[in-house]
Amino acid sequence: MTASAATSDIPRHVAIIMDGNGRWARKRGQPRIFGHRAGAESLRAVLRACRDHGVTYLTVYAFSTENWVRPQDEVRGLMTLLRTFLKKDEHELHENQVRLRAIGRIDDLPQSARAELTRVMEATRHYDKGHLILALSYGGRTEITDAVRAIARNVQAGDLEPDQIDEALIARHLYLPDVPDPDLMIRTSGEQRLSNFLLWELSYAELYFTDTLWPDFREAHFAEALTDYSRRCRRFGAPS
Ligand code: IPE
Ligand code: IPE
Ligand code: MG
């Protein structure tokens, strides 16, 4: 992803840490997967809200490299949910000409989820009205580590001098070099940390934290976050 100087009141790229599904379910005496299912509804709502507000890129943290430590049945449930989401919502991606993409160690996903993901990504690859980017088995440090390895190989092969390594070159080796950096990062559920999300790309993003749990986060909450963003003054190091 590349640095973007957003001049508009509407962020071009919003990144979301969709957190709080487990707590939402627990409050209702339900298993965690119940919360994840409700969370998928929020994702649908926010994707529509992006279209309505003119947000072009939406990146959502769906599963981190750290989330593999969760109980097997929860991980399995999440992978099934991913497949269901892709099947159920593919038509909406077509209707709105939204391209689906993914970042993360996609090869770590179970074959059935990976196959469905690859199929929908392929089927929507020619769209560019909107972009939905799913972070799956994603870790910011892993992304940077993979980039460093690729660059080191180029140096070793004699194709690159160490002095030629600059920020732009590093950014070109990240997962989606053509996607602008997020302008706004939203995290739900009251936690105020990055949890290894887009460490490089979020350098200059505006951060928005809300106590609302992800399954409760719908169009109105998203609109509120956009209003908050429109009041921010992004200086990128320039004087106020
Ligand atoms: C976010 O909700 C979804 C994933 C991490 C997959 P959580 O499952 O982390 O919900 P809490 O934080 O336990 O409430
Ligand atoms: C971050 O949430 C990952 C996703 C939302 C997919 P977590 O719930 O896993 O983060 P921590 O463990 O609270 O930092
Ligand atoms: Mg959580």
Side-chain angles (χ1 to χ4, degrees):
M1 302 189 191
T2 51
S4 70
T7 49
S8 151
D9 277 354
I10 295 289
R12 182 153 57 138
H13 185 173
V14 175
I16 306 183
I17 302 181
M18 310 183 289
D19 200 11
N21 298 352
R23 278 162 282 172
W24 189 89
R26 194 186 320 128
K27 280 205 318 200
R28 287 158 181 78
Q30 297 284 343
R32 298 176 62 83
I33 194 66
F34 186 74
H36 295 315
R37 277 194 211 112
E41 286 305 321
S42 298
L43 175 55
R44 287 186 183 103
V46 166
L47 187 56
R48 285 182 202 132
C50 281
R51 176 199 61 195
D52 297 344
H53 288 274
V55 173
T56 311
Y57 296 89
L58 174 67
T59 298
V60 291
Y61 209 2
F63 196 86
S64 73
T65 46
E66 289 73 28
N67 288 148
W68 291 109
V69 302
R70 293 194 177 200
Q72 245 192 17
D73 64 333
E74 183 179 356
V75 171
R76 219 177 291 130
L78 281 164
M79 295 302 152
T80 304
L81 194 60
L82 169 64
R83 272 190 359 244
T84 315
F85 177 81
L86 292 168
K87 279 202 182 106
K88 259 173 84 172
D89 288 68
E90 185 186 355
H91 74 279
E92 216 164 306
L93 299 178
H94 289 294
E95 273 161 32
N96 295 299
Q97 299 188 15
V98 173
R99 177 176 182 183
L100 179 78
R101 301 177 85 176
I103 51 174
R105 291 241 168 116
I106 302 307
D107 290 347
D108 293 348
L109 302 180
Q111 206 277 330
S112 50
R114 201 172 61 228
E116 194 61 22
L117 180 69
T118 314
R119 191 187 62 71
V120 180
M121 287 197 295
E122 193 54 40
T124 59
R125 64 175 304 138
H126 50 290
Y127 297 140
D128 72 348
K129 230 177 178 174
H131 298 255
L132 172 62
I133 300 159
L134 301 180
L136 290 163
S137 193
Y138 175 86
R141 288 185 171 181
T142 301
E143 179 176 24
I144 294 169
T145 304
D146 286 351
V148 169
R149 275 194 199 147
I151 293 167
R153 274 194 292 271
N154 289 340
V155 172
Q156 193 180 35
D159 297 334
L160 187 71
E161 291 295 324
D163 287 348
Q164 290 175 291
I165 302 171
D166 57 12
E167 290 183 16
L169 183 113
I170 294 172
R172 277 204 301 281
H173 284 82
L174 298 176
Y175 289 129
L176 299 177
D178 58 308
V179 172
D181 284 345
D183 304 295
L184 170 65
M185 196 287 296
I186 299 172
R187 182 167 190 155
T188 57
S189 88
E191 309 300 346
Q192 303 195 0
R193 54 178 171 263
L194 291 180
S195 302
N196 206 9
F197 190 41
L198 302 175
L199 297 181
W200 177 280
E201 297 87 340
L202 289 176
S203 289
Y204 255 109
E206 294 296 323
L207 308 180
Y208 179 86
F209 298 103
T210 170
D211 287 339
T212 305
L213 301 174
W214 176 248
D216 289 326
F217 191 92
R218 298 296 160 96
E219 287 92 336
H221 304 87
F222 187 72
E224 226 171 277
L226 292 188
T227 302
D228 191 280
Y229 172 86
S230 71
R231 296 198 191 105
R232 307 274 180 105
C233 176
R234 304 185 76 186
R235 286 194 274 278
F236 297 102
S240 55

